[in-house]
Amino acid sequence: MAAFQIEFQNGVHLPELGLWLDACDPKFGPEKVFISHAHSDHVEEHREMIVSAPTAKLIQARTGAKSFQHILPFREPAEFTNGENRFCLTLLPAGHIFGSAMSLIECAGKKLLYTGDFKLRRGLSAETCEPARADILIMETTFGRPQYQFPPAADVIKNVIRFCRESLDNDETPVLLGYSLGKSQEILCGLAEAGLPLMLHGAVFKLTQIYEQFGQCFPKYERYDSGSARGKVLLAPPNVSNSAMLRRLGKTRTAILTGWAVDPNCRYRYQCDAAFPLSDHADFPDLIEMVKRVQPKKIYTLHGFAADFARTLRELGFDAQALSQNEQFELALGESKSRATPFVIEKSPREKSRESSEIHEPCGDSAHSFIRFAETCAAISGTTSKLEKIRLLAEYFRCLKGDPVSIAATWFSGRPFASGQNKVMQLGWAILRDALCSIAEMDAATFHQIYLKHSDLGETAFEILEARETKPTLAIEQVNEIFHKLHAARGPLAKRPILASALARCSALEAKFLVKIITGDLRIGLKEGLVEESIASAFEKSADEIRQTHLLVGDIGETAKLASENKLGDAALVPFRPVRFMLASPEETAADIWERVASAQAPDRESTQARRQDADGAFVWIEDKYDGVRCQLHKVGGRVALYSRDLKEITATFPELADSARDVRADLILDGEIVAMRGDEVLPFAELQKRLGRREGDLFMREEVPIQFVAFDLLWLNGENFLNRPLRERRRTLASLHSFPKNFRLARITETNSAGEIEAAFSAARARGNEGLMIKNPASVYTPGRRGLAWLKLKKALATLDCVVVGAEFGHGKRAKVLSDYTFAVRDENSGELKTIGKAYSGLTDAEIARLTEHFLKKAIRRRGRYFEVEPDTVLEIAFDKIQPSARHNSGLAMRFPRIARIRTDKSNAEIDTLANARKLVK
């Protein structure tokens, strides 16, 4: 035989040998198909397959395939015939994933090496790649451009571990996204020595167990269970990103692990918080190295940047060509005319050392220096003990005086400015990159290689500047001034020199935390509550005093300064510094409301009776609960500002309210609700949502969605603080103003003395299009940020459905040992199948839960961690606020705020509600 004939038709075809290499279409004829590995894009059903033993097992697990005619061990040649043609095929480890193989084909004294996907770098969960010399090399070139150079995997794993620990310290669930086969097992091995609690998505769990059947070892892990995922590191495939599964976990922080992380926009493309360049493929230098090891006379490139890499090889003197569809080549195996000279790629810089977390003397002249702040951050980051974090921070606060106390406290909360200032620095990734590159005299490509190791701009800044010898000179006040200058500067051209000048004056450690504050990514395991406790400890105040002051002034920095000056008593409500809203405690029924009211006032029956007879009010007041946006309105002179529940300014979203408020003669601060209304008709909240999130007012939207500001409380008037005055006085004063414009109105108050009256008022409020009722004690003072018995709210369900329980789960806290969380379903009237529609855990007594626990444990079909799939024989009546379309459940619907109304022992599975009934209630 003088030549191999090679075709490329959705896979490499050697027709004279009757052999396909990674064919993309099923082959049912007499020809054989070599499958290099078990990734789904390489697996099809073929009549006669050649695979390695691990690949056969993995394909069977993924597809159910059971027939493999040729399962070959590595390195042992096997002979095949196709008519008169004989050839020998040997599987060699490819290093891509476990079981992945290259195919070395020998025929008539000539050799062809087909790589499939491969990786030369030694991995943790796959066999080491073993290239062999061949006359022809057909190679995968996914990352066939020079910019694709991966940092050492050990460095990447180290930063993945840091990412996980920072997330856990901040009560976030770290989610590492990588292919369920190969990448996830590599990550799992990389985390072996980190001591992190690990949880695997079901697909990852299943395949990892197959690895273990072949003798692979992994650190301890458990299968994913939503009820116990908090506090653990979750390994999952990329398709769970932004899924309902992750939303159910609460606060998460996601990282994608892929070779494409080399691209600067990778994390945005995958919509993740971080991207780490960990790949199971060869990078550009490894592709060159593969060619050098095989020493082929002819090279064919496949996939990815095949044409680009073939061009690179030709420039280096190799005979190379990209394979493409419908191309066919007769390949005479003669000697190549030229050989390549060595091709040298400079590797990414390795991390030289870690920063010191030792702190200078506790106090002294350096107390206000920025390096002292940075050292404190490093020390706090280095401990997982909350008590030690509080001790370190309190020790630091004691050394500060004046404005630096306020500034540092704000920074320790992870922001450059106090939240109430609503200042955004608008300083992007590119500006930070360019500033660091300019002072380090570094090109963008080198910067990017360093960033790839960390996926964190602060850590990147530290490594880039670590080699410089810069004496720290910056003070806290100077850095604060820099932040304000950066905020005031307009555009990248104005911001970049300010930032570069600041970074040039920083040591590596200072630069690290300067960048972290700017990006809002401090992540040293400090929550706002710990900062409050540290302030209390530093200045010998009670934690409750600090919390109360913080709630009042709405600024942790101002709170710290008042505490340091022993002036907590001077804390005051100030216009345009929003205070946290007073909150109401929820109740389920009018009877519950009345019982709470009665118990709260029981200690003083005589005074209660007096209040009932008080001409200014009744036993309790009730107001409609509006389905809108809670809003605090501040007005002094011609200046007006609107603040939302999270204390962010929203004036630009509702400019007509600000314009109208300027006509009010008094200076004041109001608490109220922005409601979509047309005349007296309350519009659904979905209409108001059309206006939310818009940075500027829209004249057309004003007509489409008219709004009203419904005022229900007065907090400040013409310089006087009304917070500590009784509600009846606050409302009387508010009503006496008599100067509200047309798109303002006062919430209507009615009096009630019984549960029956509350029930009637609730029905009337719902008929008016409102959510429910607010029940308020007219003698109550306004307590910012607090829930209590002074304000209650009633939001009853609109309707109920009879549903059957299909799953039961252990609860939390005192219910950790009982099955108290129930997943339930309705019946699809067409197919008869049960379709889940919600999950509830409230409404039953402890005795009822105990009985159901005993029942479900006996009727469990299967168990997955905390969750039991149970026989569908228990019917519950479920109350809910509304039903809406949702992809969370297989019914396509979800109940909003479901609650168990009662156990329907009188009904069987056959009598539950249908999916059609549920669809009728969609709002």
Side-chain angles (χ1 to χ4, degrees):
M1 180 178 179
F4 281 108
Q5 185 181 13
I6 299 178
E7 300 172 348
F8 184 78
Q9 301 172 359
N10 285 331
V12 177
H13 187 206
L14 308 179
E16 294 190 1
L17 304 186
L19 179 65
W20 284 86
L21 307 174
D22 283 329
C24 297
D25 300 320
K27 306 299 177 186
F28 300 112
E31 295 187 311
K32 302 169 183 63
V33 180
F34 163 69
I35 299 177
S36 63
H37 64 285
H39 275 157
S40 56
D41 58 337
H42 286 255
V43 174
E44 286 287 351
E45 287 192 32
H46 310 294
R47 190 184 69 85
E48 193 169 352
M49 294 181 276
I50 303 172
V51 294
S52 70
T55 297
K57 189 73 173 178
L58 290 165
I59 291 176
Q60 182 179 352
R62 306 193 88 182
T63 68
K66 296 180 180 179
S67 175
F68 298 92
Q69 283 70 29
H70 307 286
I71 299 178
L72 305 183
F74 285 125
R75 308 173 199 87
E76 294 186 14
E79 290 191 0
F80 297 91
T81 60
N82 183 53
E84 297 181 355
N85 295 319
R86 288 178 164 277
F87 65 95
C88 183
L89 188 150
T90 306
L91 300 190
L92 301 173
H96 174 56
I97 65 171
F98 184 51
S100 62
M102 299 183 289
S103 181
L104 180 64
I105 304 163
E106 301 177 67
C107 185
K110 305 298 181 182
K111 295 181 180 180
L112 181 152
L113 180 65
Y114 169 77
T115 68
D117 294 343
F118 74 95
K119 177 179 68 179
L120 282 181
R121 302 180 312 282
R122 184 181 293 274
L124 301 175
S125 62
E127 304 87 351
T128 301
C129 185
E130 299 179 13
R133 293 189 178 187
D135 302 285
I136 299 172
L137 173 62
I138 303 177
M139 65 184 300
E140 170 248 341
T141 55
T142 297
F143 294 107
R145 285 182 176 173
Q147 67 261 38
Y148 293 103
Q149 301 179 44
F150 305 143
D155 291 348
V156 176
I157 289 293
K158 177 180 63 179
N159 287 290
V160 171
I161 292 170
R162 174 184 53 78
F163 171 90
C164 294
R165 286 177 174 156
E166 287 179 353
S167 302
L168 294 172
D169 279 349
N170 286 278
D171 287 337
E172 299 165 314
T173 300
V175 182
L176 305 180
L177 302 174
Y179 289 132
S180 55
L181 174 58
K183 184 66 62 62
S184 290
Q185 289 73 32
E186 189 76 4
I187 299 168
L188 193 56
C189 288
L191 301 178
E193 302 301 321
L196 296 167
L198 304 172
M199 182 170 276
L200 308 187
H201 180 276
V204 178
F205 181 88
K206 178 181 178 181
L207 296 171
T208 301
Q209 291 197 313
I210 294 176
Y211 273 60
E212 291 177 329
Q213 292 174 18
F214 284 86
Q216 293 235 27
C217 296
F218 297 97
K220 182 180 178 182
Y221 61 84
E222 57 185 292
R223 185 168 186 154
Y224 170 74
D225 172 63
S226 60
S228 58
R230 186 173 179 180
K232 296 184 175 69
V233 178
L234 175 61
L235 276 62
N239 60 11
V240 308
S241 181
N242 297 315
S243 67
M245 169 189 159
L246 290 196
R247 290 193 294 272
R248 287 195 291 271
L249 292 178
K251 291 196 302 179
T252 60
R253 196 170 181 228
T254 56
I256 181 71
L257 288 92
T258 173
W260 299 113
V262 170
D263 294 329
N265 65 345
C266 177
R267 74 182 183 96
Y268 304 106
R269 186 167 73 246
Y270 284 93
Q271 298 182 323
C272 291
D273 298 298
F276 294 99
L278 191 70
S279 179
D280 293 325
H281 292 264
D283 65 356
F284 184 80
D286 272 0
L287 294 175
I288 297 290
E289 180 64 22
M290 172 62 85
V291 173
K292 292 163 66 175
R293 292 191 191 182
V294 176
Q295 298 184 15
K297 300 180 177 103
K298 182 72 177 181
I299 305 163
Y300 287 90
T301 57
L302 279 173
H303 310 307
F305 299 109
D308 292 36
F309 191 68
R311 187 181 310 113
T312 297
L313 291 177
R314 288 195 295 273
E315 291 170 357
L316 294 172
F318 290 103
D319 184 0
Q321 189 169 350
L323 281 178
S324 59
Q325 281 189 314
N326 301 321
E327 285 187 343
Q328 181 170 309
F329 305 96
E330 291 292 332
L331 306 178
L333 300 182
E335 289 294 326
S336 177
K337 294 181 180 179
S338 61
R339 298 300 298 160
T341 57
F343 189 86
V344 180
I345 300 289
E346 185 178 350
K347 295 294 184 180
S348 302
R350 295 186 64 87
E351 189 173 55
K352 298 181 182 71
S353 62
R354 300 301 300 163
E355 69 266 29
S356 169
S357 61
E358 296 179 0
I359 300 179
H360 295 152
E361 289 300 314
C363 293
D365 294 338
S366 66
H368 287 194
S369 65
F370 187 58
I371 186 61
R372 177 77 168 86
F373 171 86
E375 289 171 336
T376 303
C377 286
I380 291 171
S381 178
T383 178
T384 59
S385 166
K386 290 184 179 180
L387 292 177
E388 180 64 6
K389 289 179 188 290
I390 291 170
R391 186 193 69 77
L392 289 166
L393 186 51
E395 183 179 278
Y396 174 70
F397 278 141
R398 289 190 196 102
C399 300
L400 301 179
K401 292 181 174 59
D403 289 340
V405 180
S406 174
I407 296 167
T410 300
W411 292 348
F412 278 118
S413 295
R415 298 181 292 264
F417 307 112
S419 58
Q421 294 182 10
N422 291 296
K423 289 185 176 180
V424 180
M425 209 171 286
Q426 294 182 325
L427 200 155
W429 192 91
I431 298 175
L432 285 159
R433 176 201 62 200
D434 293 346
L436 284 165
C437 286
S438 67
I439 62 175
E441 298 181 351
M442 175 182 291
D443 59 51
T446 305
F447 172 91
H448 191 58
Q449 285 296 314
I450 297 174
Y451 175 78
L452 284 176
K453 292 198 303 185
H454 304 289
S455 199
D456 180 293
L457 281 167
E459 297 286 347
T460 302
F462 178 82
E463 177 169 328
I464 288 173
L465 302 180
E466 188 180 14
R468 295 193 320 152
E469 294 184 4
T470 302
K471 184 178 180 180
T473 60
L474 286 170
I476 288 175
E477 297 95 322
Q478 291 173 306
V479 175
N480 185 53
E481 184 180 351
I482 290 167
F483 288 161
H484 284 277
K485 286 181 178 179
L486 285 168
H487 172 261
R490 292 292 174 263
L493 293 179
K495 293 179 185 290
R496 191 178 297 116
I498 299 172
L499 179 60
S501 175
L503 289 168
R505 298 174 62 187
C506 288
S507 66
L509 191 62
E510 288 177 305
K512 171 180 174 176
F513 288 104
L514 182 82
V515 169
K516 279 182 169 289
I517 295 169
I518 288 173
T519 57
D521 197 28
L522 188 63
R523 296 195 171 276
I524 58 175
L526 272 184
K527 293 179 291 187
E528 200 167 66
L530 292 183
V531 179
E532 290 176 336
E533 291 188 52
S534 301
I535 294 169
S537 175
F539 304 116
E540 299 180 349
K541 308 296 179 185
S542 72
D544 192 56
E545 282 183 285
I546 299 299
R547 280 190 288 269
Q548 287 301 312
T549 303
H550 186 199
L551 288 171
L552 178 60
V553 302
D555 182 339
I556 191 66
E558 179 67 13
T559 300
K561 186 177 180 182
L562 290 171
S564 70
E565 297 172 350
N566 201 27
K567 293 181 179 180
L568 291 180
D570 294 347
L573 180 59
V574 178
F576 308 108
R577 189 175 68 189
V579 66
R580 295 180 187 269
F581 291 81
M582 184 171 176
L583 305 173
S585 297
E587 288 295 343
E588 301 286 351
T589 67
D592 291 339
I593 291 279
W594 194 249
E595 183 179 347
R596 290 287 294 270
V597 169
S599 64
Q601 300 188 356
D604 192 350
R605 292 293 181 187
E606 185 175 343
S607 61
T608 297
Q609 186 63 31
R611 278 195 296 275
R612 286 180 175 174
Q613 297 171 356
D614 190 338
D616 290 330
F619 185 37
V620 289
W621 286 356
I622 55 176
E623 301 171 359
D624 282 12
K625 186 180 189 312
Y626 302 94
D627 195 5
V629 173
R630 187 84 177 268
C631 178
Q632 207 172 104
L633 184 149
H634 294 229
K635 185 264 177 187
V636 175
R639 182 183 174 188
V640 176
L642 307 174
Y643 300 96
S644 62
R645 181 185 289 269
D646 59 0
L647 308 187
K648 300 296 184 185
E649 187 171 351
I650 55 173
T651 313
T653 304
F654 304 104
E656 67 268 44
L657 290 183
D659 292 341
S660 296
R662 294 185 180 94
D663 296 333
V664 178
R665 296 176 184 175
D667 294 334
L668 44 70
I669 299 177
L670 300 178
D671 186 1
E673 192 99 1
I674 298 174
V675 183
M677 298 184 71
R678 184 171 284 110
D680 291 329
E681 179 190 2
V682 177
L683 303 178
F685 181 74
E687 293 296 306
L688 183 60
Q689 279 184 310
K690 296 176 181 178
R691 298 193 56 169
L692 302 181
R694 294 172 180 258
R695 291 185 178 273
E696 302 295 338
D698 187 320
L699 291 175
F700 295 102
M701 289 302 298
R702 295 190 204 183
E703 295 296 325
E704 182 180 345
V705 187
I707 56 172
Q708 294 271 328
F709 182 85
V710 182
F712 48 70
D713 218 327
L714 174 68
L715 311 186
W716 184 91
L717 178 66
N718 297 327
E720 290 188 66
N721 181 355
F722 274 64
L723 293 182
N724 292 322
R725 302 191 186 188
L727 175 59
R728 64 168 61 88
E729 182 180 343
R730 302 198 304 272
R731 281 301 303 257
R732 184 193 304 123
T733 306
L734 179 59
S736 70
L737 295 178
H738 298 304
S739 60
F740 289 110
K742 63 179 182 179
N743 55 351
F744 279 61
R745 62 177 62 196
L746 286 180
R748 186 177 64 173
I749 291 176
T750 57
E751 303 172 354
T752 184
N753 286 284
S754 71
E757 292 178 1
I758 293 175
E759 187 71 44
F762 174 83
S763 299
R766 294 303 286 260
R768 289 189 288 270
N770 294 318
E771 275 193 318
L773 287 182
M774 296 292 298
I775 297 87
K776 299 180 178 179
N777 182 345
S780 62
V781 298
Y782 194 99
T783 54
R786 283 292 187 91
R787 293 188 193 274
L789 297 181
W791 288 14
L792 304 173
K793 61 183 178 182
L794 175 62
K795 286 173 57 180
K796 262 198 328 189
L798 279 172
T800 64
L801 285 176
D802 291 330
C803 306
V804 66
V805 178
V806 294
E809 189 173 347
F810 284 112
H812 298 83
K814 69 176 184 178
R815 292 184 172 180
K817 296 183 179 180
V818 293
L819 297 175
S820 61
D821 300 8
Y822 310 120
T823 300
F824 42 82
V826 292
R827 188 177 303 282
D828 186 327
E829 64 280 0
N830 295 318
S831 67
E833 297 178 356
L834 296 176
K835 300 291 187 180
T836 56
I837 196 171
K839 179 180 179 179
Y841 50 84
S842 63
L844 298 180
T845 66
D846 289 345
E848 288 173 323
I849 292 172
R851 288 197 299 271
L852 287 180
T853 297
E854 183 179 359
H855 173 78
F856 289 139
L857 288 175
K858 292 179 181 177
K859 295 300 182 85
I861 299 171
R862 60 181 59 88
R863 178 178 182 176
R864 299 194 302 274
R866 300 168 60 86
Y867 180 86
F868 291 80
E869 183 180 342
V870 300
E871 289 185 16
D873 62 359
T874 302
V875 178
L876 302 178
E877 182 181 354
I878 306 295
F880 52 88
D881 182 67
K882 65 174 65 173
I883 292 180
Q884 51 201 16
S886 172
R888 180 179 302 175
H889 302 291
N890 62 9
S891 64
L893 305 173
M895 292 179 173
R896 184 184 181 198
F897 305 134
R899 175 184 178 275
I900 303 168
R902 57 176 168 155
I903 303 172
R904 295 302 302 263
T905 55
D906 58 323
K907 286 197 172 185
S908 68
N909 180 315
E911 298 174 277
I912 63 173
D913 276 294
T914 64
L915 187 55
N917 289 345
R919 290 193 179 111
K920 293 176 184 177
L921 299 172
V922 172
K923 296 293 183 179

